[in-house]
Amino acid sequence: MNQTMKPTRRALVLGLAGTAAFGRHALAHGLPTVAVTKDPTCGCCEKWVAHLRESGFTVTVTEGPVNPLKVRLGVPRDLASCHTAQVGGYVVEGHVPAGAIKRLLAERPEGTGLAVPGMPVGSPGMEVEGMEPDTYHIVLFGPSGRSVFARYRGGAAT
C-alpha cells in the first residue's frame, strides 16, 4: 500500500523551527567560547555580549577590574575600550562586530587580537537611536605591529 503523505502546516512549521534551533545550536558548537571581562556597571558591554550571542557565540562574562587584564594581555593603551574578551587564542578589545571575530577565527592571522578603540556610535552595543553610525577601523595588533583588519560603518563591513 503506497500512500502519499502530505505534511500538515503545523508539522512543516515545527520542522522548520527545529531545523533553525538545531542550526543555531550546531553553529554555537563550532565556535569557541568568548570570555568577556567587563565593569559590572557597563550597559553597552551587556549589549555587545547580546550581539555576540545572537551571532551564535557562547559567551561567559566576568565582572571586575578590566585594566589589569588589558595590561596582562598586551592591549595597547591607545586601543583600549570598555571591555576585553578572549576567544580562540586572541584578544578582542571593545565593540568588535561578531562578523569580524568570525573572520579572525577563520583566517587566523598572526597577531595578539582585534580592537575597536573608543566606543564608535553604531558599533555593536553602541547603537544610538536617531544618530548616524560612525565609520571605524578594526585594528589587528600584536608584537609585530598593527594593521587595519576591517572597516565598518555601524555593524556592517564596508
Side-chain angles (χ1 to χ4, degrees), residues 20-114:
F22 176 75
R24 187 175 304 130
H25 180 71
L27 178 61
H29 285 298
L31 295 170
T33 297
V34 180
V36 177
T37 302
K38 68 174 216 54
D39 183 278
T41 61
C42 189
C44 68
C45 299
E46 288 295 330
K47 291 179 182 177
W48 183 71
V49 166
H51 162 74
L52 294 182
R53 288 179 174 146
E54 290 166 4
S55 299
F57 284 98
T58 299
V59 183
T60 62
V61 177
T62 301
E63 295 185 341
V66 183
N67 287 334
L69 177 66
K70 293 177 192 305
V71 171
R72 185 170 57 81
L73 295 176
V75 176
R77 184 180 298 247
D78 64 317
L79 296 182
S81 186
C82 56
H83 55 264
T84 302
Q86 298 172 76
V87 60
Y90 289 102
V91 176
V92 177
E93 179 67 17
H95 293 268
V96 177
I101 298 170
K102 289 178 181 178
R103 180 179 154 214
L104 173 76
L105 296 170
E107 294 178 6
R108 310 262 342 142
E110 187 176 320
T112 301
L114 297 180

